[in-house]
Amino acid sequence: MLVKIIEKDSSDYVKALALRVAVLRKPLGLSYAQTDLDLEKDDIHFVATHDQDIIGCLLVRPMSKTIIKMRQVAVSFSYQKKGIGQKLVAASEAYALSHGFQKIELSARIDSVPFYERLGYRVTGLTYIEVTLPHQKMEKSLDQ
Ligand SMILES: CC(C)(COP(=O)(O)OP(=O)(O)OC[C@H]1O[C@@H](n2cnc3c(N)ncnc32)[C@H](O)[C@@H]1OP(=O)(O)O)[C@@H](O)C(=O)NCCC(=O)NCCS
């Protein structure tokens, strides 16, 4: 398994988007609006690969000079709970640190809060609804 950064509009991007649709949108009966995808052009896109397959992905979006937002964390159903999400998060944290960011923020589905807590993230606010599901804002300081 390899974690790498991919280019938007690459064949890997197309595969990663298909994974996001399958894991993050189709189970909710939703899809992505092209306007949302257009906003991702400046995000940094990480993928986890196994042979030629994309088995996980994660995006980060700079919000300011010090804060970066982690988004769209998804691992293919048959590869979940095998440490792939953890490796994707670690790669994005290394990227954030090496580019001078001090804090990572994210919006966690309620079911995935324990996953992020295991990786050092803490809940910062009340539960709210996003894409039909309860979510919580979480964050992690990178200087701790
Ligand atoms: C949430 C998700 C990204 C985690 O990725 P993963 O590859 O399955 O997680 P890992 O195997 O790296 O797990 C790391 C640790 O977190 C734990 N963990 C993972 N998902 C968990 C969950 N939902 N609840 C509790 N613990 C969880 C693992 O058991 C592991 O613990 P350990 O180190 O003690 O063994 C993945 O399950 C997924 O894509 N879920 C569906 C989409 C989703 O909810 N994405 C998050 C949107 S905010």
Side-chain angles (χ1 to χ4, degrees):
M1 199 272 294
L2 176 77
V3 174
K4 63 179 182 180
I5 292 176
I6 58 165
E7 294 297 323
K8 187 101 193 286
D9 300 327
S10 62
S11 59
D12 278 346
Y13 173 81
V14 174
K15 289 183 196 170
L17 182 57
L19 170 67
R20 286 160 59 190
V21 170
V23 175
L24 295 173
R25 287 294 181 275
K26 214 171 169 194
L28 307 178
L30 300 173
S31 59
Y32 289 101
Q34 188 57 48
T35 46
D36 289 337
L37 296 178
D38 291 343
L39 290 173
E40 296 178 352
K41 68 177 171 42
D42 295 326
D43 293 353
I44 299 98
H45 297 246
F46 290 83
V47 294
T49 63
H50 179 67
D51 296 331
Q52 301 304 313
D53 296 330
I54 301 287
I55 56 172
C57 64
L58 176 161
L59 274 57
V60 289
R61 176 173 295 177
M63 306 299 284
S64 71
K65 281 187 174 168
T66 57
I67 299 173
I68 201 162
K69 184 169 185 182
M70 186 185 295
R71 310 177 53 248
Q72 300 288 302
V73 186
V75 174
S76 181
F77 293 112
S78 55
Y79 286 92
Q80 289 178 9
K81 299 275 177 81
K82 297 180 192 297
I84 290 157
Q86 188 168 3
K87 287 195 173 70
L88 280 162
V89 170
S92 70
E93 290 177 355
Y95 174 92
L97 257 180
S98 68
H99 287 76
F101 294 98
Q102 293 167 9
K103 189 165 80 173
I104 300 188
E105 296 178 342
L106 61 89
S107 180
R109 293 181 179 196
I110 205 91
D111 288 348
S112 63
V113 165
F115 164 72
Y116 293 109
E117 284 179 331
R118 267 180 160 80
L119 304 182
Y121 291 76
R122 66 179 184 91
V123 169
T124 59
L126 300 174
T127 304
Y128 56 95
I129 301 294
E130 202 174 275
V131 290
T132 76
L133 295 174
H135 278 68
Q136 286 194 298
K137 288 201 184 306
M138 302 185 78
E139 65 178 37
K140 180 176 181 177
S141 291
L142 295 174
D143 51 8
Q144 58 198 355

